[in-house]
Amino acid sequence: MALVSINELPENILLELFMHVPARQLLLHCRPVCSLWRDLIDLVTLWKRKCLREGFVTEDWDQPVADWKIFYFLCSLRRNLLRNPCAEEDMGSWRIDSNGGDHWKVESLPGEHGTDFPDPQVKKYFVTSYGMCLKSQLVDLKAEGYWEELLDTFRPEIVVKDWFAARADCGCSYHIRVQLASADYIVLASFEPPPVTVHQWNDATWTEVSHTFSDYPPGVRHILFQHGGKDTQFWAGWYGPRVTNSSIIISPKTSRSLAPSGALPETLQGQGEAS
């Protein structure tokens, strides 16, 4: 019986086979095999079907996507880049930049003179004292799987969120600073609003702070996230702002016209698996 070349299979069968190959392997090892495989792997149909298979979109998805291949990889990598955002590991993963007063502390929700968090899955928060308390994390984007061309050419949106609340019986001052930095830590873009002052005898409700970085300069390799504050009464103990559920999430843009992604196999070399 004569052997049949895989390339003699119908194109829809080849596409179905490619559906089950990890995305990085498709680009690094399958795409360079021949012009037929290259053309099939570059088809919008393949990457849209992979997005559907992974649950990144639904059948009734109606938002425009400029590049389904890039969209797939960004969805594969999408997660909170901050570790221990809800104090489940005490102060683990956080760098203490300022530890004034009686220092940082972790407490359980709702806490004294506090209120429940909007998401019942969040059980704890970090709380500050009467001296300035600041903590931070530095995110290395290349270590998290984001390669240089993706960051510099496609520049996906970087969405930063934080939540803070005061005790009802004490005023406080809340601070946040987020910086996008280069490989050698030069600041390329920043979000640092004026401190928020909450007066004594407030309703202790949780407030969300959100900022989206888009169209930032090329060269971003790190994200510095810092937050904290102090109370305004100078009371011993932990009466300053409470913070929890912080996040940094990199999300795909769905309406921007992006450059062709034919160079992806080379730029993916050495990067982590994105299946």
Side-chain angles (χ1 to χ4, degrees), residues 106 126 218 240 258 260:
V106 170
F126 305 94
L258 300 178

Side-chain angles (χ1 to χ4, degrees), residues 60-211:
D60 59 353
W61 179 270
D62 60 359
Q63 296 187 43
V65 175
D67 189 312
W68 279 95
K69 189 186 300 182
I70 293 299
F71 184 86
Y72 176 87
F73 275 97
L74 286 172
C75 289
S76 299
L77 291 166
R78 191 177 188 274
R79 64 197 186 281
N80 187 0
L81 298 177
L82 292 177
R83 292 174 169 78
N84 189 29
C86 301
E88 293 297 335
E89 302 170 24
D90 199 60
M91 300 300 299
S93 300
W94 292 94
R95 170 180 170 174
I96 304 302
D97 302 317
S98 298
N99 214 14
D102 288 321
H103 314 310
W104 281 97
K105 185 183 180 184
V106 170
E107 294 181 347
S108 297
L109 282 153
E112 292 184 3
H113 296 276
T115 58
D116 290 325
F117 193 77
D119 182 352
Q121 294 185 351
V122 177
K123 305 294 185 183
K124 296 182 179 181
Y125 58 83
F126 305 94
V127 60
T128 59
S129 189
Y130 60 87
M132 181 58 71
C133 293
L134 295 170
K135 62 183 178 70
S136 64
Q137 287 190 37
L138 183 66
V139 177
D140 183 333
L141 293 174
K142 290 187 71 175
E144 295 292 343
Y146 295 90
W147 60 96
E148 292 182 358
E149 184 186 2
L150 179 64
L151 295 170
D152 294 348
T153 303
F154 302 101
R155 284 179 288 172
E157 292 183 340
I158 300 174
V159 182
V160 179
K161 294 184 179 182
D162 196 23
W163 288 81
F164 74 92
R167 282 178 59 120
D169 60 345
C170 188
C172 69
S173 177
Y174 163 81
H175 298 244
I176 184 172
R177 175 168 64 109
V178 185
Q179 296 177 332
L180 307 186
S182 66
D184 50 0
Y185 305 103
I186 296 173
V187 176
L188 301 175
S190 65
F191 170 64
E192 188 171 4
V196 177
T197 300
V198 181
H199 298 292
Q200 189 180 22
W201 307 120
N202 59 85
D203 59 10
T205 56
W206 286 91
T207 299
E208 182 183 42
V209 178
S210 179
H211 179 75

Side-chain angles (χ1 to χ4, degrees), residues 232-248:
T232 55
Q233 307 301 121
F234 208 71
W235 289 349
W238 297 273
Y239 291 83
R242 301 162 170 181
V243 293
T244 194
N245 204 37
S246 313
S247 64
I248 297 174

